[in-house]
């Protein structure tokens, strides 16, 4: 990785049977493999190499890494097998609603990995202004209403992104 700054907390889980539901982020060596994929995916997308990859969260439902590069900030998400459809739904929604969601930079369906551009603006968790929360809730409601007219396309989109082959 050269000069990439990396920070991760990975459990010492060497027994494959001990990894429940494909939560590979608990295995030694997983972080390095994820960093290699992130770096390769960013170069393929002409985004340059990351200079920092930091684990932000790790819990039962996913592992999230923050990726910083000269071209901007990105987020990587790894999902368990039970969350395998999320990457396809996320990709479909990002394609359909590019003005409302972060762009998908890369996906790796076998490992259930997503690399996304970071959202711009402030994290609502740090914003006390109720009006901004209301605006965000209203935008989310508009997204849900718009999706109600695209259920068939969503199902086709999920199939197109090969969710069923990841079983």
């Amino acid at each position: 990785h050269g000069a990439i700054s990396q920070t991760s907390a990975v459990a010492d889980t060497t027994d494959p049977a001990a990894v429940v539901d494909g939560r590979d982020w608990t295995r030694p060596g997983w972080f390095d493999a994820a960093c290699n994929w992130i770096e390769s995916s960013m170069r393929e997308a002409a985004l340059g190499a990351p200079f920092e990859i930091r684990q932000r969260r790790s819990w039962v439902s996913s592992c999230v890494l923050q990726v910083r590069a000269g071209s901007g900030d990105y987020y990587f998400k790894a999902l368990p097998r039970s969350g395998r459809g999320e990457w396809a739904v996320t990709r479909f929604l990002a394609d359909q609603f590019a003005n409302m969601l972060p762009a998908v930079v890369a996906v790796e369906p076998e490992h259930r990995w997503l690399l996304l551009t970071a959202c711009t603006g402030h994290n609502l968790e740090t914003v006390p202004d109720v009006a901004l929360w209301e605006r965000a809730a209203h935008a989310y409601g508009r997204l849900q209403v718009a999706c109600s007219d695209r259920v068939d396309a969503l199902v086709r989109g999920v199939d197109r992104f090969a969710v069923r082959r990841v079983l």
Side-chain angles (χ1 to χ4, degrees):
H1 307 292
I4 297 175
S5 169
Q6 301 174 1
T7 307
S8 172
V10 176
D12 185 14
T13 308
T14 54
D15 178 9
V19 176
V20 177
D21 193 25
R23 293 180 186 98
D24 295 330
W25 55 89
T26 62
R27 291 183 186 197
W30 175 88
F31 186 75
D32 287 336
C35 287
N36 287 335
W37 180 80
I38 291 166
E39 186 171 351
S40 173
S41 296
M42 290 185 69
R43 287 186 192 279
E44 278 183 35
L47 297 172
F51 59 81
E52 180 181 33
I53 301 175
R54 179 180 306 255
Q55 183 174 303
R56 299 298 295 176
R57 297 191 184 196
S58 179
W59 60 97
V60 172
S61 62
S62 65
C63 180
V64 177
L65 308 178
Q66 181 180 20
V67 180
R68 298 189 66 217
S71 57
D73 291 341
Y74 304 86
Y75 283 91
F76 165 92
K77 188 172 188 181
L79 298 157
R81 277 191 294 276
S82 60
R84 67 187 167 271
E86 182 179 333
W87 72 269
V89 172
T90 300
R91 188 169 179 185
F92 174 82
L93 292 174
D95 286 349
Q96 295 293 308
F97 302 99
N99 61 331
M100 295 183 75
L101 282 103
V104 175
V105 174
V107 295
E108 209 306 320
E110 183 178 338
H111 292 100
R112 299 163 311 281
W113 290 352
L114 286 161
L115 181 60
L116 307 162
T117 58
C119 292
T120 59
H122 298 287
N123 181 337
L124 281 179
E125 293 172 351
T126 65
V127 176
D129 185 353
V130 174
L132 291 175
W133 281 82
E134 289 172 345
R135 242 187 310 179
H138 184 70
Y140 186 58
R142 285 193 318 270
L143 175 67
Q144 290 179 325
V145 169
C147 285
S148 69
D149 293 338
R150 301 176 190 196
V151 172
D152 290 339
L154 176 60
V155 170
R156 282 191 311 275
V158 168
D159 286 343
R160 184 181 71 190
F161 293 125
V163 170
R164 293 200 172 107
R165 287 187 223 127
V166 182
L167 300 174

